[in-house]
Amino acid sequence: MSNLAKAVIAFAALAAAGFLTGMTSQAHAAETVCTGAAPADGVLRGPVLQVEDSATLCVALGATPDRWVRLTLADAPAVNPIQRASNTDENPRGTLMAVAFSQMVDCRLQADGRALCALQDGRSVGALLKSRAAWVAGKDWR
């Protein structure tokens, strides 16, 4: 079984058990289950299996959350802290869900610890977050 298949199965099991944290009604981001360390070379490739807020996602480097690396996007649009965890018609977390959730990404860590990520077709995740189509699709993510 491939690592991707194992990661997807692990994600489904965790979601079914209710261990994945999602949006909160408070103005703070959910606690992460992603506890993996980034590779020393700062280059990651894997599926996005958790989106915490409008700028934070987890890239799976293995089947279990201890191999999922939490990344903050360097080029995500700025939003205020209340919007970041909101579940309203303006849903910046939903926009990131619509763009990146379950997608394979290639990410490179920057010196400041934030990351630049791209989908397999080369499109920047941060740039896609600024598109009207992503915003409209993100409104439906709850």
Side-chain angles (χ1 to χ4, degrees):
M1 182 178 297
S2 74
N3 284 340
L4 177 58
K6 290 177 184 176
V8 170
I9 290 169
F11 171 75
L14 286 172
F19 288 114
L20 287 179
T21 56
M23 293 179 295
T24 64
S25 59
Q26 291 89 21
H28 58 83
E31 190 173 320
T32 187
V33 297
C34 308
T35 58
D41 65 1
V43 177
L44 300 91
R45 178 173 172 49
V48 174
L49 294 185
Q50 183 173 356
V51 172
E52 291 185 7
D53 58 32
S54 65
T56 310
L57 51 77
C58 295
V59 176
L61 300 181
T64 57
D66 65 325
R67 299 280 326 273
W68 298 1
V69 180
R70 182 179 188 266
L71 300 174
T72 300
L73 296 172
D75 55 350
V79 295
N80 69 46
I82 293 172
Q83 280 181 311
R84 187 170 274 213
S86 75
N87 189 18
T88 67
D89 284 341
E90 293 181 16
N91 188 2
R93 178 184 176 267
T95 304
L96 184 52
M97 288 286 290
V99 167
F101 184 72
S102 81
Q103 299 294 312
M104 289 293 290
V105 293
D106 293 302
C107 301
R108 182 171 303 276
L109 289 177
Q110 297 183 315
D112 64 2
R114 298 182 306 155
L116 292 172
C117 296
L119 300 179
Q120 282 188 301
D121 63 8
R123 294 180 297 162
S124 163
V125 172
L128 288 169
L129 293 176
K130 298 169 188 164
S131 74
R132 174 117 176 105
W135 180 80
V136 170
K139 286 175 59 174
D140 292 333
W141 281 92
R142 297 288 181 220

